[in-house]
Amino acid sequence: MFRSQVLICGGTGCTSSGSDQLIHSFESELAKNDLQDEVKIVRTGCFGLCALGPIVIIYPEGSFYSRVEVTDVPEIVSEHLLKGRPVERLLYDETVTDNGVISLNDTNFYKKQHRVALRNCGVINPENIDEYIAMDGYKALGICLTEKTPQEVIDIIKASGLRGRGGAGFPTGVKWQLTAQNHADQKYVACNADEGDPGAFMDRSVLEGDPHTILEAMAIAAYATGANHGFIYVRAEYPIAVKRLQIAIDQAREYGLLGKDIFGTGFDFDIELRLGAGAFVCGEETALMRSVEGQRGEPRPRPPFPAQKGIFEKPTLLNNVETYANITQIILNGPEWFASMGTEKSKGTKVFALGGKINNTGLVEVPMGTTLREIIEEIGGGIPGGKKFKAAQTGGPSGGCIPAEHFDIPIDYDNLISIGSMMGSGGMIVMDEDTCMVDIAKFFLEFTVEESCGKCTPCRVGTKRLLEMLTKITKGQATLEDLDKIEELCHYIKENALCGLGQTAPNPVLATLHYFRDEYVAHIVDKKCPAGVCKALLTYSIDPDKCKGCTLCARVCPAGAITGTVKLPHEIDPHKCLKCGACIEKCKFGAISIQ
């Protein structure tokens, strides 16, 4: 029995910040102080506050240490673990109040969250099956196999109102029913862990922090639909997730929770990993299934749908990571419990990866129907530097932007679609007043063009033409007629592209055109970028009344575009200026401006 536990984040974010070195340092310091038998070190998954990593939490006090460095470890061990005095200067600011140190759950970041899919992330050691079992792990599978018929399991999922968390929001129970009713000599269940949206890291964190919950949910899905084999399709760029999934699979097999005759019920089910090479299109279900088969990852026309003909032409159930992460809790707590959260048509919670211009970059899980304002201002801590909120991009390259006028919209599937956006897998990129919306649309379209599989002409050629026209706008070379051409092409691509990724590729363009058309017009008519982002439309100038002739700007200019003599106002040659901003950074008198 240990008197204290030191939980150290072992997710990708904190690992990249040096949490592995922290673990080694804690082990060394505990040994020096003869505490190795009293204090246990636990490597966990992501705590959510990624911007504050590496993160260390010490229980039973619940002291939350952020941005911990190796040099801090001796002090934490000697003061906190040896003498019982938390090191206040290293504690997360929000937990230190005039009335003492408060729980992490009482901070603004956590108090409005409700963690269901993320319930075990940052709580257990994801590489230890016993810790998962201690949190009621595999209990739901046991209940299903010994007390429920396959149809009863499906009915529970239907009654919960769970919708697919991969983007489209299709009712999960209905998908399970469609797969179950198609009879075949072989069926499969699969997990989409490809997660290719820029700024999205929800699924990765679940896989890294709680891999067994995915295995258990897939086994339940297999029992309900009549399958006996599963595939987890995960990107090779997620090495920690891949490693922990394989460890979890091996442990589950050793415990008899995967393989033959699970729980002595005669039910057989096993899982294998398939590593993806990072193609965005393999997030589309039919392309993913072709890749699992070892073929080129390209979508195919539907019907037939995967529930009829999927992997190896056999009926296949495919859900994404977050969808599976809800299954065991629905079984254990009942469909009414899950349906009590969220909105009428969007039940439960949703995980978002907050990124961009936001103070609390990280992972949050909130009930459906939480407003955008609550997520950004209260949980996310608002915009850095006191800047104004401008828009939030949800759904990545397939989604659209939510402007400030919809800041108080309750976030659910239907509300987002009604304003020209979509839930997507859960990436949420926040933008402030310094963001150029034309440039944002161009950024996402560049991604789509790069990631298009090229199978269908509307996506392969249409997105390139769209990108060319957006590039013309950012260079001040377009006309107002180009806006009409852009809209026409966007609608053509949406109606004629083969797969969902191609059909949604124009969404960022259409959304920014709808809500920020004045910015497009400013680029075209005034030849100005209101946000000061598009370099081709910027002009650097020096105010002669403010310039002291110190020559610093001229000395750092890489193009020799600034001329003048000492103690006299300088000038910038617009034809030579690279618009790199080096001169502005060096000017001590605020004499250089961008117009």
Side-chain angles (χ1 to χ4, degrees):
M1 181 68 69
F2 295 93
R3 65 172 173 83
S4 295
Q5 291 196 357
V6 180
L7 274 58
I8 302 176
C9 177
T12 293
C14 285
T15 298
S16 65
S17 300
S19 63
D20 279 347
Q21 290 87 337
L22 282 183
I23 292 173
H24 297 318
S25 183
F26 267 104
E27 290 172 343
S28 175
E29 288 298 320
L30 290 176
K32 286 180 185 177
N33 290 276
D34 200 27
L35 293 173
Q36 66 271 25
D37 294 329
E38 298 181 43
V39 179
K40 182 180 182 181
I41 297 172
V42 181
R43 187 198 304 266
T44 72
C46 178
F47 292 105
L49 266 170
C50 303
L52 297 179
I55 290 172
V56 175
I57 299 182
I58 297 181
Y59 288 102
E61 301 88 346
S63 301
F64 182 92
Y65 292 106
S66 60
R67 296 194 177 100
V68 181
E69 298 181 7
V70 170
T71 53
D72 298 322
V73 174
E75 184 179 1
I76 294 174
V77 172
S78 64
E79 289 296 312
H80 189 152
L81 295 173
L82 194 60
K83 301 174 185 175
R85 300 187 299 219
V87 184
E88 192 168 304
R89 70 175 184 85
L90 296 174
L91 293 173
Y92 175 42
D93 292 344
E94 274 199 47
T95 64
V96 182
T97 70
D98 294 337
N99 298 320
V101 178
I102 64 172
S103 164
L104 188 61
N105 291 330
D106 293 327
T107 62
N108 289 329
F109 183 77
Y110 281 103
K111 65 185 180 183
K112 286 205 169 184
Q113 292 195 50
H114 189 76
R115 291 162 80 87
V116 178
L118 301 178
R119 64 194 174 278
N120 288 332
C121 295
V123 176
I124 66 172
N125 178 354
E127 297 183 18
N128 187 335
I129 189 173
D130 293 329
E131 293 201 15
Y132 178 70
I133 291 173
M135 303 297 287
D136 287 335
Y138 291 103
K139 182 179 178 181
L141 176 60
I143 290 172
C144 290
L145 296 186
T146 60
E147 300 177 17
K148 308 287 184 186
T149 66
Q151 186 58 50
E152 285 174 336
V153 174
I154 293 174
D155 290 341
I156 290 172
I157 303 304
K158 279 183 178 180
S160 73
L162 175 65
R163 296 173 65 171
R165 299 302 196 242
F170 190 80
T172 302
V174 174
K175 183 181 279 191
W176 287 28
Q177 185 75 71
L178 291 172
T179 308
Q181 69 190 25
N182 286 300
H183 301 288
D185 58 346
Q186 176 68 57
K187 292 184 184 180
Y188 299 104
V189 296
C191 175
N192 182 350
D194 190 57
E195 194 169 49
D197 288 5
F201 50 96
M202 304 77 56
D203 294 349
R204 183 192 73 199
S205 295
V206 173
L207 297 175
E208 292 175 353
D210 196 14
H212 283 283
T213 196
I214 305 304
L215 307 188
E216 183 179 8
M218 290 179 67
I220 292 171
Y223 171 71
T225 58
N228 62 18
H229 196 81
F231 296 96
I232 300 178
Y233 188 85
V234 58
R235 336 194 107 213
E237 293 101 319
Y238 285 0
I240 296 176
V242 171
K243 173 191 170 188
R244 290 180 184 165
L245 277 169
Q246 191 59 61
I247 289 172
I249 290 171
D250 293 341
Q251 290 176 341
R253 286 172 180 161
E254 182 182 349
Y255 275 51
L257 299 168
L258 286 179
K260 300 288 186 181
D261 194 27
I262 299 174
F263 287 123
T265 61
F267 173 63
D268 302 336
F269 180 67
D270 208 348
I271 294 174
E272 60 180 295
L273 299 182
R274 284 285 196 271
L275 303 190
F280 180 62
V281 73
C282 286
E284 195 276 337
E285 61 180 9
T286 60
L288 181 153
M289 292 178 186
R290 285 176 60 87
S291 185
V292 166
E293 295 168 354
Q295 302 183 61
R296 180 184 175 92
E298 291 180 331
R300 61 164 175 76
R302 296 174 301 175
F305 293 96
Q308 301 163 306
K309 287 188 177 181
I311 296 172
F312 300 119
E313 300 294 308
K314 301 296 183 181
T316 302
L317 171 70
L318 177 69
N319 289 126
N320 91 318
V321 170
E322 189 184 341
T323 308
Y324 281 127
N326 285 286
I327 297 299
T328 62
Q329 296 306 292
I330 292 172
I331 299 296
L332 292 176
N333 297 301
E336 299 82 10
W337 165 82
F338 188 82
S340 70
M341 297 178 284
T343 62
E344 183 181 353
K345 295 183 178 179
S346 299
K347 305 296 185 182
T349 61
K350 182 72 190 79
V351 181
F352 290 101
L354 278 180
K357 304 294 183 66
I358 190 82
N359 280 310
N360 294 335
T361 299
L363 212 59
V364 305
E365 184 172 1
V366 294
M368 291 278 195
T370 303
T371 67
L372 184 62
R373 184 186 297 275
E374 288 176 288
I375 294 173
I376 292 175
E377 289 192 346
E378 298 180 35
I379 299 173
I383 315 294
K387 299 282 188 179
K388 292 181 180 178
F389 170 78
K390 188 172 188 177
Q393 178 81 15
T394 59
S398 301
C401 63
I402 307 172
E405 65 189 79
H406 292 303
F407 206 22
D408 291 303
I409 189 169
I411 302 294
D412 67 13
Y413 292 100
D414 301 302
N415 282 339
L416 290 188
I417 290 173
S418 71
I419 61 170
S421 186
M422 65 181 291
M423 186 79 72
S425 57
M428 182 178 286
I429 300 176
V430 182
M431 294 164 272
D432 66 12
E433 59 196 81
D434 294 332
T435 304
C436 172
M437 302 310 294
V438 183
D439 184 64
I440 283 292
K442 180 169 165 276
F443 165 78
F444 283 113
L445 208 54
E446 285 172 338
F447 179 86
T448 305
V449 168
E450 178 70 23
E451 293 292 338
S452 172
C453 75
K455 185 171 183 178
C456 72
T457 304
C459 182
R460 183 183 69 249
V461 179
T463 55
K464 285 184 180 179
R465 298 293 87 83
L466 268 182
L467 180 58
E468 288 169 2
M469 286 189 275
L470 284 179
T471 302
K472 280 176 62 180
I473 293 174
T474 59
K475 290 183 176 180
Q477 299 170 351
T479 65
L480 289 175
E481 287 73 23
D482 287 321
L483 294 184
D484 296 328
K485 293 178 183 177
I486 286 174
E487 287 190 272
E488 182 182 357
L489 182 54
C490 281
H491 290 298
Y492 176 83
I493 295 171
K494 285 179 72 69
E495 292 170 5
N496 294 282
L498 173 62
C499 77
L501 298 184
Q503 292 160 10
T504 56
N507 283 353
V509 181
L510 288 171
T512 52
L513 262 175
H514 178 71
Y515 291 112
F516 300 96
R517 196 178 191 91
D518 57 327
E519 287 196 29
Y520 281 85
V521 173
H523 282 69
I524 295 169
V525 177
D526 302 328
K527 309 299 181 187
K528 297 287 185 183
C529 175
V533 172
C534 300
K535 284 188 175 183
L537 302 180
L538 303 182
T539 301
Y540 283 67
S541 61
I542 297 176
D543 185 342
D545 294 330
K546 293 182 179 180
C547 180
K548 307 300 181 184
C550 69
T551 74
L552 267 178
C553 58
R555 280 183 275 163
V556 299
C557 179
I562 302 177
T563 56
T565 55
V566 180
K567 296 185 179 180
L568 291 175
H570 285 42
E571 293 181 347
I572 299 178
D573 184 343
H575 301 294
K576 291 183 179 180
C577 180
L578 299 176
K579 302 165 185 175
C580 64
C583 55
I584 288 183
E585 291 178 13
K586 285 295 182 181
C587 183
K588 300 177 180 179
F589 309 104
I592 305 174
S593 61
I594 306 175
Q595 298 173 343

